[in-house]
Amino acid sequence: MNTQDDPLWPRASHWLTTPPPAASSADLAICGFPLNQSINPGRCDLAPPAIRQALARYSTYDVDLQLDLGGLTVRDFGDVSLEHDATRAGAVSAAATIYAAVTGTTCAVLLGGDNGITRTGVHSLGIPLEECGLLTFDAHHDVRSTTDGPHNGNPVRGLLEDGLPGRNIVQIGIQPFTNSKAYSEFARASGITAVTVDEVQAQGIEPVVAKALRQLANTKAVYVDLDMDVLDRAFAPASPGSRPGGLSPWMMRQAARLCGKAPIVKILDIVEVDPSKDMADATVLAAASFLLAFASGLAARLKA
């Protein structure tokens, strides 16, 4: 029997498309954000439907937590209409759309799109930037100049310029030879805490993430940016910025689950997947697993 037809093997794709009871609000909101303003040409705008489709390859059961996502209500709001508007006004409009979609839910997951969505996503928290925390899983600092406008290489720089304090930013997975000296020094001078991939390997992903969340505990809400190029390129061939030596999927799955468990975390984005460059669906399957791990952590949070 095909597991798609097996009532004892519920698929995560079915969970995502099952609407919550009309009278109830959802625990988790999903919203696609097909932004495609990368430094390098690509088709990251194709990622939201590809990640949703990849959920059909997974069940709803987390064996590590012995927890089934069937008890977690989820509402998929579809994709934000960007209407090719890359202006600041367009970003503000998109943030308002996301804020309206996630209001009334405990958490939200934004499916990118490229990393440029992070700047808009943080604004969609709907609170002053001074009260926001940003936790990134990324090989890069993303602090390139904003002189030529917003793109996937400068969302963190843009947020700093918008008023997000550098002390409220922790970056995990920074890799050697993926950042210039000038931008690394800029990040350090701005007060950003950076944890390199080698430090993660030495200390362990769980202690590193737990420490980051403790550091951001003085904020009112934390936004988590999961750039798929934090993974080793062997596991993320469809992420344009991935390089050999990055994190393993099991590490990132643990990190996503821990973020889902943390009451202070409100939004997770998953970005930088170009399905047209994928091999054996490795990258979209990894991205889908991280969505499910975050949801599993959220289910554990609500159950506690």
Side-chain angles (χ1 to χ4, degrees), residues 46-111:
L46 300 176
I51 295 172
R52 290 185 179 98
Q53 185 175 1
L55 290 173
R57 312 267 287 275
Y58 288 104
S59 79
T60 56
Y61 184 64
D62 185 341
V63 67
D64 286 321
L65 296 185
Q66 297 185 22
L67 187 154
D68 196 289
L69 296 182
L72 187 75
T73 57
V74 59
R75 189 185 299 276
D76 187 350
F77 287 87
D79 295 345
V80 172
S81 176
L82 301 176
E83 299 179 350
H84 308 290
D85 188 350
T87 65
R88 185 69 185 137
V92 170
S93 175
T97 301
I98 297 168
Y99 178 77
V102 304
T103 297
T105 61
T106 305
C107 279
V109 174
L110 305 184
L111 302 177

Short mmCIF file of all heavy atoms in Angstrom, two decimals, residues 46-111:
data_model
loop_
_atom_site.label_atom_id
_atom_site.label_comp_id
_atom_site.label_asym_id
_atom_site.label_seq_id
_atom_site.Cartn_x
_atom_site.Cartn_y
_atom_site.Cartn_z
N LEU A 46 10.48 30.30 -6.22
CA LEU A 46 9.82 29.01 -6.41
C LEU A 46 9.78 28.17 -5.15
O LEU A 46 9.15 27.11 -5.11
CB LEU A 46 10.54 28.21 -7.50
CG LEU A 46 10.61 28.83 -8.90
CD1 LEU A 46 11.44 27.94 -9.81
CD2 LEU A 46 9.21 29.03 -9.47
N ALA A 47 10.46 28.62 -4.10
CA ALA A 47 10.63 27.79 -2.91
C ALA A 47 9.35 27.54 -2.11
O ALA A 47 9.15 26.41 -1.64
CB ALA A 47 11.71 28.37 -2.01
N PRO A 48 8.49 28.53 -1.85
CA PRO A 48 7.32 28.24 -1.01
C PRO A 48 6.50 27.05 -1.46
O PRO A 48 6.24 26.13 -0.66
CB PRO A 48 6.54 29.56 -1.03
CG PRO A 48 7.59 30.60 -1.22
CD PRO A 48 8.56 29.98 -2.19
N PRO A 49 6.09 26.97 -2.73
CA PRO A 49 5.32 25.78 -3.13
C PRO A 49 6.15 24.50 -3.10
O PRO A 49 5.62 23.42 -2.83
CB PRO A 49 4.84 26.12 -4.55
CG PRO A 49 5.76 27.18 -5.03
CD PRO A 49 6.15 27.97 -3.83
N ALA A 50 7.46 24.61 -3.38
CA ALA A 50 8.31 23.42 -3.37
C ALA A 50 8.44 22.85 -1.96
O ALA A 50 8.42 21.62 -1.77
CB ALA A 50 9.69 23.76 -3.93
N ILE A 51 8.55 23.73 -0.97
CA ILE A 51 8.66 23.27 0.42
C ILE A 51 7.34 22.64 0.87
O ILE A 51 7.31 21.60 1.52
CB ILE A 51 9.07 24.41 1.35
CG1 ILE A 51 10.49 24.88 1.00
CG2 ILE A 51 9.02 23.98 2.81
CD1 ILE A 51 10.93 26.15 1.72
N ARG A 52 6.23 23.28 0.51
CA ARG A 52 4.92 22.71 0.84
C ARG A 52 4.78 21.32 0.23
O ARG A 52 4.29 20.39 0.86
CB ARG A 52 3.80 23.63 0.34
CG ARG A 52 3.66 24.96 1.09
CD ARG A 52 2.45 25.70 0.57
NE ARG A 52 2.22 26.97 1.23
CZ ARG A 52 2.60 28.15 0.75
NH1 ARG A 52 3.26 28.22 -0.41
NH2 ARG A 52 2.34 29.27 1.41
N GLN A 53 5.19 21.18 -1.03
CA GLN A 53 5.07 19.90 -1.71
C GLN A 53 5.95 18.84 -1.04
O GLN A 53 5.57 17.67 -0.94
CB GLN A 53 5.47 20.05 -3.18
CG GLN A 53 5.27 18.80 -4.01
CD GLN A 53 5.58 19.04 -5.48
OE1 GLN A 53 5.95 20.13 -5.88
NE2 GLN A 53 5.41 18.01 -6.29
N ALA A 54 7.12 19.25 -0.55
CA ALA A 54 8.03 18.31 0.10
C ALA A 54 7.45 17.73 1.38
O ALA A 54 7.85 16.65 1.82
CB ALA A 54 9.37 18.99 0.39
N LEU A 55 6.49 18.42 1.99
CA LEU A 55 5.88 17.91 3.21
C LEU A 55 5.15 16.59 2.98
O LEU A 55 4.93 15.83 3.93
CB LEU A 55 4.90 18.95 3.78
CG LEU A 55 5.53 20.21 4.36
CD1 LEU A 55 4.44 21.22 4.73
CD2 LEU A 55 6.38 19.89 5.58
N ALA A 56 4.79 16.31 1.74
CA ALA A 56 4.13 15.04 1.43
C ALA A 56 5.04 13.85 1.66
O ALA A 56 4.58 12.71 1.76
CB ALA A 56 3.63 15.04 -0.01
N ARG A 57 6.33 14.10 1.78
CA ARG A 57 7.30 13.03 2.00
C ARG A 57 7.55 12.77 3.48
O ARG A 57 8.37 11.93 3.84
CB ARG A 57 8.63 13.40 1.31
CG ARG A 57 8.48 13.88 -0.13
CD ARG A 57 8.63 12.80 -1.14
NE ARG A 57 10.01 12.36 -1.26
CZ ARG A 57 10.92 12.94 -2.04
NH1 ARG A 57 10.61 14.03 -2.74
NH2 ARG A 57 12.14 12.45 -2.12
N TYR A 58 6.86 13.49 4.35
CA TYR A 58 7.05 13.35 5.79
C TYR A 58 5.74 13.00 6.48
O TYR A 58 4.65 13.39 6.03
CB TYR A 58 7.57 14.67 6.40
CG TYR A 58 9.00 14.98 6.06
CD1 TYR A 58 9.30 15.95 5.11
CD2 TYR A 58 10.05 14.33 6.70
CE1 TYR A 58 10.63 16.26 4.80
CE2 TYR A 58 11.37 14.64 6.40
CZ TYR A 58 11.65 15.60 5.45
OH TYR A 58 12.95 15.89 5.15
N SER A 59 5.87 12.32 7.63
CA SER A 59 4.71 12.09 8.49
C SER A 59 4.60 13.24 9.49
O SER A 59 5.41 14.18 9.48
CB SER A 59 4.86 10.76 9.25
OG SER A 59 5.72 10.91 10.36
N THR A 60 3.64 13.17 10.38
CA THR A 60 3.43 14.22 11.38
C THR A 60 3.98 13.84 12.75
O THR A 60 3.77 14.56 13.72
CB THR A 60 1.92 14.51 11.53
OG1 THR A 60 1.24 13.29 11.86
CG2 THR A 60 1.35 15.10 10.25
N TYR A 61 4.72 12.74 12.83
CA TYR A 61 5.16 12.23 14.13
C TYR A 61 6.64 12.49 14.37
O TYR A 61 7.49 12.10 13.57
CB TYR A 61 4.89 10.73 14.23
CG TYR A 61 5.23 10.14 15.58
CD1 TYR A 61 4.55 10.54 16.73
CD2 TYR A 61 6.22 9.17 15.71
CE1 TYR A 61 4.86 9.99 17.97
CE2 TYR A 61 6.53 8.61 16.94
CZ TYR A 61 5.84 9.03 18.07
OH TYR A 61 6.14 8.49 19.29
N ASP A 62 6.95 13.16 15.49
CA ASP A 62 8.33 13.40 15.92
C ASP A 62 8.70 12.33 16.93
O ASP A 62 8.26 12.37 18.09
CB ASP A 62 8.44 14.80 16.55
CG ASP A 62 9.87 15.17 16.91
OD1 ASP A 62 10.72 14.26 17.02
OD2 ASP A 62 10.15 16.37 17.09
N VAL A 63 9.50 11.36 16.50
CA VAL A 63 9.83 10.25 17.37
C VAL A 63 10.69 10.68 18.55
O VAL A 63 10.63 10.08 19.63
CB VAL A 63 10.53 9.12 16.56
CG1 VAL A 63 11.89 9.57 16.06
CG2 VAL A 63 10.64 7.84 17.38
N ASP A 64 11.49 11.74 18.39
CA ASP A 64 12.34 12.20 19.48
C ASP A 64 11.51 12.74 20.64
O ASP A 64 11.82 12.49 21.81
CB ASP A 64 13.32 13.27 19.01
CG ASP A 64 14.44 12.68 18.17
OD1 ASP A 64 14.92 11.58 18.51
OD2 ASP A 64 14.85 13.30 17.17
N LEU A 65 10.46 13.50 20.33
CA LEU A 65 9.61 14.06 21.38
C LEU A 65 8.39 13.18 21.65
O LEU A 65 7.61 13.47 22.55
CB LEU A 65 9.13 15.46 20.98
CG LEU A 65 10.20 16.54 20.84
CD1 LEU A 65 9.55 17.90 20.57
CD2 LEU A 65 11.08 16.63 22.08
N GLN A 66 8.23 12.10 20.86
CA GLN A 66 7.04 11.25 20.95
C GLN A 66 5.78 12.10 20.92
O GLN A 66 4.90 12.01 21.77
CB GLN A 66 7.10 10.38 22.21
CG GLN A 66 8.27 9.43 22.23
CD GLN A 66 8.27 8.48 23.41
OE1 GLN A 66 7.22 8.24 24.02
NE2 GLN A 66 9.43 7.95 23.76
N LEU A 67 5.71 12.91 19.87
CA LEU A 67 4.66 13.91 19.76
C LEU A 67 4.18 13.96 18.32
O LEU A 67 4.98 13.97 17.39
CB LEU A 67 5.24 15.26 20.20
CG LEU A 67 4.34 16.47 20.36
CD1 LEU A 67 4.97 17.42 21.37
CD2 LEU A 67 4.16 17.19 19.03
N ASP A 68 2.86 13.99 18.14
CA ASP A 68 2.28 14.06 16.81
C ASP A 68 1.73 15.46 16.55
O ASP A 68 1.04 16.04 17.41
CB ASP A 68 1.16 13.03 16.65
CG ASP A 68 0.78 12.81 15.20
OD1 ASP A 68 0.17 13.71 14.59
OD2 ASP A 68 1.11 11.73 14.66
N LEU A 69 2.03 15.99 15.37
CA LEU A 69 1.59 17.34 15.03
C LEU A 69 0.10 17.43 14.74
O LEU A 69 -0.43 18.53 14.55
CB LEU A 69 2.37 17.86 13.83
CG LEU A 69 3.87 18.05 14.01
CD1 LEU A 69 4.48 18.62 12.73
CD2 LEU A 69 4.17 18.96 15.19
N GLY A 70 -0.57 16.29 14.71
CA GLY A 70 -2.01 16.31 14.45
C GLY A 70 -2.79 17.12 15.46
O GLY A 70 -3.87 17.64 15.16
N GLY A 71 -2.24 17.29 16.66
CA GLY A 71 -2.92 18.09 17.67
C GLY A 71 -2.59 19.56 17.62
O GLY A 71 -3.13 20.36 18.40
N LEU A 72 -1.72 19.95 16.69
CA LEU A 72 -1.33 21.36 16.54
C LEU A 72 -2.10 21.95 15.37
O LEU A 72 -1.98 21.49 14.23
CB LEU A 72 0.18 21.46 16.28
CG LEU A 72 0.79 22.86 16.26
CD1 LEU A 72 0.91 23.41 17.68
CD2 LEU A 72 2.17 22.83 15.61
N THR A 73 -2.91 22.97 15.62
CA THR A 73 -3.69 23.57 14.54
C THR A 73 -2.81 24.52 13.73
O THR A 73 -2.06 25.31 14.28
CB THR A 73 -4.91 24.35 15.09
OG1 THR A 73 -4.47 25.35 16.01
CG2 THR A 73 -5.87 23.39 15.78
N VAL A 74 -2.94 24.42 12.43
CA VAL A 74 -2.11 25.22 11.53
C VAL A 74 -3.00 25.83 10.45
O VAL A 74 -3.99 25.23 10.03
CB VAL A 74 -1.00 24.34 10.89
CG1 VAL A 74 -1.60 23.18 10.10
CG2 VAL A 74 -0.08 25.17 10.01
N ARG A 75 -2.66 27.03 10.04
CA ARG A 75 -3.39 27.69 8.96
C ARG A 75 -2.39 28.22 7.94
O ARG A 75 -1.48 28.98 8.29
CB ARG A 75 -4.25 28.83 9.49
CG ARG A 75 -5.20 29.41 8.43
CD ARG A 75 -5.96 30.62 8.97
NE ARG A 75 -6.79 30.31 10.10
CZ ARG A 75 -8.02 29.82 10.04
NH1 ARG A 75 -8.56 29.58 8.86
NH2 ARG A 75 -8.71 29.60 11.13
N ASP A 76 -2.55 27.80 6.71
CA ASP A 76 -1.68 28.25 5.63
C ASP A 76 -2.36 29.43 4.93
O ASP A 76 -3.44 29.28 4.34
CB ASP A 76 -1.42 27.11 4.64
CG ASP A 76 -0.39 27.48 3.58
OD1 ASP A 76 0.00 28.66 3.49
OD2 ASP A 76 0.04 26.57 2.85
N PHE A 77 -1.73 30.59 5.00
CA PHE A 77 -2.30 31.80 4.42
C PHE A 77 -1.88 32.01 2.98
O PHE A 77 -2.15 33.07 2.41
CB PHE A 77 -1.91 33.01 5.27
CG PHE A 77 -2.62 33.08 6.59
CD1 PHE A 77 -2.11 32.43 7.70
CD2 PHE A 77 -3.80 33.79 6.73
CE1 PHE A 77 -2.74 32.48 8.93
CE2 PHE A 77 -4.46 33.85 7.95
CZ PHE A 77 -3.93 33.19 9.05
N GLY A 78 -1.23 31.01 2.39
CA GLY A 78 -0.78 31.17 1.02
C GLY A 78 0.43 32.08 0.93
O GLY A 78 1.18 32.24 1.89
N ASP A 79 0.61 32.70 -0.22
CA ASP A 79 1.78 33.54 -0.46
C ASP A 79 1.42 35.02 -0.46
O ASP A 79 0.36 35.41 -0.98
CB ASP A 79 2.44 33.18 -1.79
CG ASP A 79 3.01 31.78 -1.79
OD1 ASP A 79 3.15 31.20 -0.70
OD2 ASP A 79 3.31 31.26 -2.89
N VAL A 80 2.30 35.82 0.10
CA VAL A 80 2.15 37.27 0.06
C VAL A 80 2.31 37.74 -1.38
O VAL A 80 3.23 37.32 -2.08
CB VAL A 80 3.20 37.96 0.95
CG1 VAL A 80 3.16 39.48 0.76
CG2 VAL A 80 2.97 37.60 2.41
N SER A 81 1.42 38.60 -1.82
CA SER A 81 1.53 39.16 -3.17
C SER A 81 2.48 40.35 -3.12
O SER A 81 2.18 41.38 -2.51
CB SER A 81 0.16 39.60 -3.68
OG SER A 81 0.28 40.23 -4.94
N LEU A 82 3.63 40.20 -3.77
CA LEU A 82 4.63 41.27 -3.73
C LEU A 82 4.45 42.25 -4.89
O LEU A 82 4.94 43.38 -4.83
CB LEU A 82 6.03 40.68 -3.78
CG LEU A 82 6.35 39.72 -2.62
CD1 LEU A 82 7.72 39.10 -2.80
CD2 LEU A 82 6.27 40.45 -1.30
N GLU A 83 3.80 41.82 -5.93
CA GLU A 83 3.51 42.69 -7.08
C GLU A 83 4.76 43.39 -7.59
O GLU A 83 4.71 44.53 -8.05
CB GLU A 83 2.43 43.72 -6.70
CG GLU A 83 1.11 43.09 -6.30
CD GLU A 83 0.06 44.11 -5.91
OE1 GLU A 83 0.42 45.29 -5.77
OE2 GLU A 83 -1.10 43.73 -5.76
N HIS A 84 5.90 42.69 -7.48
CA HIS A 84 7.17 43.19 -8.01
C HIS A 84 7.55 44.54 -7.42
O HIS A 84 8.26 45.33 -8.03
CB HIS A 84 7.12 43.29 -9.54
CG HIS A 84 6.68 42.03 -10.20
ND1 HIS A 84 7.45 40.89 -10.22
CD2 HIS A 84 5.52 41.68 -10.82
CE1 HIS A 84 6.82 39.92 -10.85
NE2 HIS A 84 5.63 40.37 -11.22
N ASP A 85 7.07 44.82 -6.21
CA ASP A 85 7.34 46.10 -5.58
C ASP A 85 8.51 45.94 -4.61
O ASP A 85 8.34 45.40 -3.52
CB ASP A 85 6.10 46.60 -4.83
CG ASP A 85 6.27 48.03 -4.32
OD1 ASP A 85 7.39 48.54 -4.36
OD2 ASP A 85 5.27 48.61 -3.87
N ALA A 86 9.69 46.41 -5.01
CA ALA A 86 10.88 46.28 -4.17
C ALA A 86 11.15 47.55 -3.36
O ALA A 86 12.18 47.68 -2.73
CB ALA A 86 12.10 45.95 -5.03
N THR A 87 10.21 48.50 -3.42
CA THR A 87 10.42 49.75 -2.71
C THR A 87 10.16 49.58 -1.22
O THR A 87 9.64 48.58 -0.76
CB THR A 87 9.46 50.83 -3.25
OG1 THR A 87 8.12 50.44 -2.94
CG2 THR A 87 9.61 51.00 -4.75
N ARG A 88 10.55 50.59 -0.46
CA ARG A 88 10.31 50.56 0.98
C ARG A 88 8.81 50.49 1.27
O ARG A 88 8.38 49.79 2.18
CB ARG A 88 10.92 51.81 1.62
CG ARG A 88 10.83 51.81 3.13
CD ARG A 88 11.73 50.75 3.71
NE ARG A 88 11.57 50.66 5.15
CZ ARG A 88 11.50 49.52 5.81
NH1 ARG A 88 11.57 48.37 5.17
NH2 ARG A 88 11.37 49.52 7.12
N ALA A 89 8.03 51.21 0.46
CA ALA A 89 6.58 51.18 0.66
C ALA A 89 6.04 49.76 0.44
O ALA A 89 5.15 49.30 1.15
CB ALA A 89 5.90 52.15 -0.31
N GLY A 90 6.61 49.07 -0.54
CA GLY A 90 6.19 47.70 -0.79
C GLY A 90 6.52 46.79 0.37
O GLY A 90 5.75 45.90 0.73
N ALA A 91 7.69 47.01 0.98
CA ALA A 91 8.09 46.20 2.13
C ALA A 91 7.17 46.45 3.31
O ALA A 91 6.79 45.52 4.03
CB ALA A 91 9.55 46.50 2.51
N VAL A 92 6.81 47.70 3.54
CA VAL A 92 5.92 48.03 4.64
C VAL A 92 4.56 47.38 4.42
O VAL A 92 3.93 46.84 5.34
CB VAL A 92 5.77 49.56 4.78
CG1 VAL A 92 4.66 49.91 5.76
CG2 VAL A 92 7.09 50.18 5.24
N SER A 93 4.08 47.41 3.16
CA SER A 93 2.80 46.79 2.83
C SER A 93 2.86 45.28 3.08
O SER A 93 1.92 44.70 3.63
CB SER A 93 2.45 47.08 1.37
OG SER A 93 1.28 46.39 1.00
N ALA A 94 3.98 44.65 2.68
CA ALA A 94 4.12 43.21 2.90
C ALA A 94 4.17 42.89 4.39
O ALA A 94 3.57 41.91 4.84
CB ALA A 94 5.39 42.70 2.21
N ALA A 95 4.86 43.71 5.17
CA ALA A 95 4.93 43.49 6.62
C ALA A 95 3.54 43.57 7.23
O ALA A 95 3.19 42.78 8.11
CB ALA A 95 5.86 44.52 7.26
N ALA A 96 2.73 44.53 6.77
CA ALA A 96 1.38 44.66 7.29
C ALA A 96 0.54 43.43 6.94
O ALA A 96 -0.26 42.96 7.75
CB ALA A 96 0.72 45.92 6.72
N THR A 97 0.75 42.89 5.74
CA THR A 97 0.02 41.69 5.33
C THR A 97 0.40 40.51 6.20
O THR A 97 -0.47 39.74 6.65
CB THR A 97 0.34 41.36 3.85
OG1 THR A 97 -0.05 42.47 3.03
CG2 THR A 97 -0.41 40.12 3.40
N ILE A 98 1.69 40.35 6.47
CA ILE A 98 2.15 39.25 7.32
C ILE A 98 1.61 39.42 8.73
O ILE A 98 1.12 38.47 9.35
CB ILE A 98 3.68 39.18 7.34
CG1 ILE A 98 4.22 38.87 5.94
CG2 ILE A 98 4.16 38.12 8.33
CD1 ILE A 98 5.70 39.07 5.82
N TYR A 99 1.68 40.64 9.26
CA TYR A 99 1.20 40.90 10.61
C TYR A 99 -0.27 40.54 10.74
O TYR A 99 -0.70 39.91 11.72
CB TYR A 99 1.43 42.36 10.98
CG TYR A 99 0.92 42.73 12.36
CD1 TYR A 99 1.65 42.38 13.50
CD2 TYR A 99 -0.26 43.42 12.54
CE1 TYR A 99 1.21 42.70 14.77
CE2 TYR A 99 -0.73 43.75 13.80
CZ TYR A 99 0.01 43.38 14.91
OH TYR A 99 -0.44 43.70 16.17
N ALA A 100 -1.05 40.90 9.73
CA ALA A 100 -2.49 40.59 9.77
C ALA A 100 -2.71 39.08 9.72
O ALA A 100 -3.62 38.56 10.38
CB ALA A 100 -3.19 41.26 8.59
N ALA A 101 -1.87 38.37 8.96
CA ALA A 101 -2.05 36.92 8.83
C ALA A 101 -1.70 36.20 10.12
O ALA A 101 -2.34 35.21 10.48
CB ALA A 101 -1.18 36.40 7.68
N VAL A 102 -0.67 36.68 10.83
CA VAL A 102 -0.20 35.93 12.00
C VAL A 102 -0.87 36.38 13.30
O VAL A 102 -0.72 35.72 14.32
CB VAL A 102 1.33 36.04 12.14
CG1 VAL A 102 2.02 35.57 10.89
CG2 VAL A 102 1.77 37.47 12.49
N THR A 103 -1.60 37.48 13.26
CA THR A 103 -2.28 37.93 14.47
C THR A 103 -3.27 36.86 14.94
O THR A 103 -4.05 36.32 14.17
CB THR A 103 -3.04 39.25 14.20
OG1 THR A 103 -2.10 40.26 13.86
CG2 THR A 103 -3.80 39.69 15.45
N GLY A 104 -3.19 36.54 16.21
CA GLY A 104 -4.08 35.52 16.77
C GLY A 104 -3.48 34.13 16.78
O GLY A 104 -4.10 33.20 17.30
N THR A 105 -2.28 33.97 16.20
CA THR A 105 -1.60 32.69 16.25
C THR A 105 -0.42 32.79 17.23
O THR A 105 0.07 33.88 17.51
CB THR A 105 -1.07 32.26 14.88
OG1 THR A 105 -0.14 33.24 14.42
CG2 THR A 105 -2.20 32.14 13.88
N THR A 106 0.02 31.65 17.74
CA THR A 106 1.15 31.65 18.67
C THR A 106 2.45 31.94 17.96
O THR A 106 3.29 32.70 18.45
CB THR A 106 1.24 30.29 19.39
OG1 THR A 106 -0.01 30.00 20.00
CG2 THR A 106 2.34 30.31 20.45
N CYS A 107 2.64 31.31 16.80
CA CYS A 107 3.87 31.45 16.03
C CYS A 107 3.56 31.46 14.54
O CYS A 107 2.47 31.10 14.11
CB CYS A 107 4.84 30.30 16.33
SG CYS A 107 5.80 30.47 17.83
N ALA A 108 4.57 31.87 13.77
CA ALA A 108 4.42 31.85 12.32
C ALA A 108 5.73 31.38 11.69
O ALA A 108 6.81 31.56 12.24
CB ALA A 108 4.08 33.24 11.79
N VAL A 109 5.59 30.75 10.52
CA VAL A 109 6.73 30.40 9.70
C VAL A 109 6.57 31.07 8.35
O VAL A 109 5.51 30.93 7.71
CB VAL A 109 6.86 28.87 9.51
CG1 VAL A 109 7.99 28.55 8.52
CG2 VAL A 109 7.11 28.17 10.83
N LEU A 110 7.58 31.83 7.94
CA LEU A 110 7.59 32.46 6.63
C LEU A 110 8.48 31.65 5.71
O LEU A 110 9.64 31.38 6.03
CB LEU A 110 8.13 33.90 6.72
CG LEU A 110 7.43 34.84 7.70
CD1 LEU A 110 8.04 36.24 7.59
CD2 LEU A 110 5.94 34.89 7.44
N LEU A 111 7.93 31.25 4.57
CA LEU A 111 8.68 30.48 3.60
C LEU A 111 9.17 31.41 2.49
O LEU A 111 8.38 31.94 1.71
CB LEU A 111 7.79 29.38 2.99
CG LEU A 111 7.18 28.38 3.98
CD1 LEU A 111 6.27 27.41 3.23
CD2 LEU A 111 8.26 27.63 4.74
#
